[in-house]
Amino acid sequence: MRGSALRGAAAPDGPTHSGRPGGSRSSAWAELLRLPALFTVPGDVLAGAATTPGHPGPRTLWAIGSSLCLYEAGMALNDWADRAEDAVERPHRPLPSGRVRPAAALTAACALTATGLALAARAGRPALGVAAPLAVAVWAYDLGLKRTPAGPAAMAAARALDLLLGAATTSGGVRPALSSAALLGTHTLALTTVSRHETQGGSPLTTLSALATTGALALALAGRASSRSPLSTEWSLPARPRASAPARPPITPAGHPLRAALALAYAATAARPYFHAALNPSPPLTQKAVGGGIRATIPLQAALSARSGAPLSALLTAALSPLATRFARKVSVT
């Protein structure tokens, strides 16, 4: 996938480019940073926090701020690294069109990375311990890994680390969030593999694999969590929860329809464009498949929160989806 290692929502088949040569400076930066895609970032941290005892608090907000900054650092760094390629394939982008100077984009990437790490430190030492490798993953992906066979794995690792950031901020540990991180990482791995050739046309086999992955993840999200799993906090609670972090109560039966509905929304958002691209792996349909898979990240995050017994976080995350779609029509996020 062409973009930062934290890249979230996109709609390559829909939005128009708000910035043109001669446009305002603010619109050029909005296009460079793909601001509408920011709506896909908070759900990672909230889904991670949902897996741990206790509830999100002020430190969770610091972690979300850190994640947003690292995400935008990756966006700026991505365009800086791809400025020569964009001059040929996407001359309207802010850097090749001259609306943003390459030095300014690189400076922004550095400043945003430093700010993201500072905010993570404010959220606590465990959060910084996750944010640091996350920043490394962002820079490594944008500066070279995205063009290698390790690119999809690097993208998946970055998404998984972003979710673990939420868990580390809330409880100081990431073990309860490993299951959710694995599910989110699997989705990202399949999506990134499809996106590697979106401008030349994809492979039916690759897209079918992503479609099968989407179906498997949707079933896993909708199904009842195993009470024997040491990673499940939804159905099994520790015998003696820590007094400083009250355990989250078991999810009620009313939570099952919410989780199932979100899992269905995830599958519906990603599966249809995947299926069309598998039948006809042309560049336009492959790009639509990538856009559908990226947009599906938000209902996936919401379903992960619901799976962990945090319906409010799930609903809050799900509410970001229409906002992401709406603003993506005004500023390109690809």
Side-chain angles (χ1 to χ4, degrees):
M1 181 182 304
R2 188 185 173 280
S4 82
L6 288 178
R7 189 167 174 178
D13 50 311
T16 58
H17 296 285
S18 62
R20 300 289 184 186
S24 70
R25 183 179 181 85
S26 60
S27 66
W29 278 97
E31 186 180 345
L32 175 73
L33 298 176
R34 300 167 180 85
L35 292 183
L38 287 176
F39 290 105
T40 69
V41 179
D44 286 345
V45 174
L46 291 176
T51 65
T52 65
H55 302 279
R59 288 189 175 186
T60 306
L61 296 179
W62 290 115
I64 291 175
S66 172
S67 180
L68 291 170
C69 287
L70 293 177
Y71 174 90
E72 290 291 32
M75 288 298 186
L77 185 64
N78 171 77
D79 274 28
W80 180 84
D82 288 352
R83 60 193 185 281
E85 176 185 334
D86 284 344
V88 177
E89 297 184 357
R90 302 170 181 87
H92 61 270
R93 292 293 301 159
L95 267 63
S97 67
R99 290 176 289 135
V100 176
R101 294 182 296 108
L106 181 58
T107 300
C110 294
L112 286 165
T113 300
T115 303
L117 292 175
L119 291 174
R122 184 68 177 82
R125 184 175 298 179
L128 180 60
V130 176
L134 174 56
V136 171
V138 170
W139 280 73
Y141 177 84
D142 281 331
L143 294 183
L145 289 180
K146 64 184 172 185
R147 294 183 176 86
T148 71
M155 177 81 82
R159 267 292 179 186
L161 284 169
D162 204 34
L163 187 146
L164 295 179
L165 177 61
T169 301
T170 305
S171 70
V174 299
R175 181 178 175 82
L178 292 177
S179 176
S180 292
L183 293 174
L184 181 61
T186 299
H187 164 76
T188 307
L189 179 67
L191 170 61
T192 309
T193 303
V194 172
S195 73
R196 288 172 70 84
H197 304 289
E198 60 181 306
T199 58
Q200 295 85 24
S203 163
L205 181 59
T206 299
T207 310
L208 284 174
S209 297
L211 179 62
T213 299
T214 299
L217 290 176
L219 289 175
L221 290 167
R224 179 183 176 112
S226 172
S227 60
R228 297 182 180 180
S229 172
L231 300 178
S232 173
T233 61
E234 182 174 348
W235 293 98
S236 59
L237 296 174
R240 294 182 179 179
R242 293 178 298 177
S244 58
R248 190 184 304 281
I251 191 170
T252 62
H256 306 329
L258 174 61
R259 187 174 63 186
L262 291 170
L264 180 61
Y266 160 67
T269 303
R272 183 176 179 181
Y274 278 159
F275 180 71
H276 289 166
L279 294 178
N280 179 12
S282 62
L285 289 182
T286 301
Q287 291 166 12
K288 289 183 178 181
V290 172
I294 295 172
R295 290 192 299 273
T297 302
I298 296 179
L300 172 58
Q301 296 164 336
L304 289 172
S305 289
R307 173 177 177 264
S308 298
L312 291 180
S313 292
L315 292 173
L316 178 61
T317 301
L320 297 175
S321 186
L323 293 174
T325 301
R326 176 182 176 184
F327 284 95
R329 297 191 183 103
K330 299 180 180 180
V331 178
S332 175
V333 289
T334 62

